[in-house]
Amino acid sequence: METVVTVAVIIFVIIAGMFLIHRLNAQHDERIGAFRYSDALPGIGRRTRKSPRAAVPKGPPARRHTP
C-alpha cells in the first residue's frame, strides 16, 4: 500500500512540475513578445540616410602631442 501511495505522489509531483514549467515558459514568451530588442534582419525597416556618412569626422583637427 505504501508503494502505491509513493508512486502516486511522485507522479503527481512530476505532473505539477510539468504544469509549472509550461506556465513559466508561456510567461517568458509573452514578455519576449512584448519587447522589441532589435530588427529581425539587419537593414530591413531602417530609413536610408539622406547623405552618405563622412569618412573623416567633422570638427577641429586633432592636436598632435610631440615630445
Side-chain angles (χ1 to χ4, degrees):
M1 181 68 179
E2 291 179 20
T3 306
V4 174
V5 172
T6 303
V7 170
V9 168
I10 290 173
I11 290 173
F12 175 75
V13 169
I14 289 172
I15 292 172
M18 289 172 53
F19 179 75
L20 179 64
I21 290 172
H22 177 72
R23 289 302 308 144
L24 289 173
N25 281 338
Q27 272 186 338
H28 185 67
D29 290 343
E30 287 175 8
R31 283 191 209 136
I32 288 175
F35 297 104
R36 183 174 173 186
Y37 293 105
S38 64
D39 291 337
L41 294 172
I44 293 179
R46 295 185 182 178
R47 288 191 262 172
T48 58
R49 298 180 190 270
K50 291 183 180 177
S51 62
R53 181 179 279 183
V56 178
K58 295 181 181 179
R63 295 178 64 188
R64 293 188 182 196
H65 178 68
T66 54

